[in-house]
Protein backbone atom coordinates (compact mmCIF):
# COMPACT_ATOMS: atom_id res chain seq x y z
CA UNK A 1 0.00 0.00 0.00
CA UNK A 2 2.78 2.40 -0.92
CA UNK A 3 0.39 4.83 -2.65
CA UNK A 4 -1.93 4.96 0.35
CA UNK A 5 1.02 5.44 2.66
CA UNK A 6 2.32 8.33 0.57
CA UNK A 7 -1.09 10.00 0.56
CA UNK A 8 -1.33 9.59 4.31
CA UNK A 9 2.16 10.89 5.00
CA UNK A 10 2.15 13.79 2.53
CA UNK A 11 -1.47 14.96 2.85
CA UNK A 12 -2.78 13.41 6.05
CA UNK A 13 -5.31 11.14 4.33
CA UNK A 14 -7.24 9.14 6.89
CA UNK A 15 -8.54 5.61 6.38
CA UNK A 16 -11.93 7.00 5.30
CA UNK A 17 -10.36 9.39 2.81
CA UNK A 18 -8.09 6.64 1.46
CA UNK A 19 -11.14 4.41 0.97
CA UNK A 20 -12.78 7.17 -1.09
CA UNK A 21 -9.60 7.61 -3.11
CA UNK A 22 -9.23 3.89 -3.86
CA UNK A 23 -12.93 3.58 -4.78
CA UNK A 24 -12.61 6.50 -7.21
CA UNK A 25 -9.34 5.14 -8.58
CA UNK A 26 -10.91 1.73 -9.21
CA UNK A 27 -13.91 3.32 -10.93
CA UNK A 28 -11.57 5.29 -13.21
CA UNK A 29 -9.53 2.16 -13.98
CA UNK A 30 -12.73 0.25 -14.79
CA UNK A 31 -13.90 3.04 -17.11
CA UNK A 32 -10.51 3.09 -18.86
CA UNK A 33 -10.66 -0.67 -19.40
CA UNK A 34 -14.21 -0.36 -20.74
CA UNK A 35 -13.06 2.22 -23.32
CA UNK A 36 -10.16 -0.02 -24.32
CA UNK A 37 -12.50 -2.99 -24.75
CA UNK A 38 -15.23 -1.08 -26.59
CA UNK A 39 -13.07 1.16 -28.81
CA UNK A 40 -9.29 0.75 -28.54
CA UNK A 41 -6.29 1.57 -26.41
CA UNK A 42 -5.23 4.69 -28.34
CA UNK A 43 -8.69 6.21 -27.94
CA UNK A 44 -8.85 5.38 -24.23
CA UNK A 45 -5.39 6.78 -23.48
CA UNK A 46 -6.09 9.97 -25.42
CA UNK A 47 -9.31 10.50 -23.47
CA UNK A 48 -7.34 9.95 -20.26
CA UNK A 49 -4.64 12.41 -21.37
CA UNK A 50 -7.20 15.08 -22.25
CA UNK A 51 -8.96 14.65 -18.90
CA UNK A 52 -5.63 14.95 -17.07
CA UNK A 53 -4.88 18.17 -18.97
CA UNK A 54 -8.31 19.55 -18.14
CA UNK A 55 -7.93 18.83 -14.44
CA UNK A 56 -4.27 19.82 -14.02
CA UNK A 57 -4.27 22.80 -16.39
CA UNK A 58 -0.94 21.45 -17.70
CA UNK A 59 0.21 20.04 -21.00
CA UNK A 60 0.36 16.26 -20.71
CA UNK A 61 2.59 14.44 -23.20
CA UNK A 62 3.06 10.70 -23.36
CA UNK A 63 6.65 9.63 -22.78
CA UNK A 64 6.69 7.64 -26.03
CA UNK A 65 5.70 10.79 -27.95
CA UNK A 66 8.58 12.72 -26.40
CA UNK A 67 11.02 9.98 -27.39
CA UNK A 68 10.05 10.04 -31.10
Amino acid sequence: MADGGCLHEAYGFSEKRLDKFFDAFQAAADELQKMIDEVDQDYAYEKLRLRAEEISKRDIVFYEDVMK
Side-chain angles (χ1 to χ4, degrees):
M1 181 137 143
D3 294 332
C6 292
L7 290 170
H8 171 73
E9 291 173 11
Y11 304 107
F13 276 34
S14 65
E15 181 181 350
K16 185 177 179 179
R17 190 176 241 178
L18 284 170
D19 286 344
K20 289 174 76 172
F21 167 78
F22 286 119
D23 289 346
F25 187 86
Q26 187 62 56
D30 292 345
E31 181 63 25
L32 179 64
Q33 187 59 56
K34 182 179 176 186
M35 282 190 283
I36 291 170
D37 293 343
E38 292 180 356
V39 184
D40 65 33
Q41 183 172 310
D42 289 340
Y43 172 82
Y45 284 5
E46 180 62 9
K47 293 290 279 187
L48 180 66
R49 186 190 70 74
L50 292 172
R51 181 73 174 132
E53 281 189 345
E54 179 183 328
I55 292 168
S56 69
K57 306 295 187 231
R58 298 171 187 253
D59 290 333
I60 306 292
V61 179
F62 290 117
Y63 177 75
E64 61 195 29
D65 292 340
V66 172
M67 299 309 294
K68 288 182 180 178

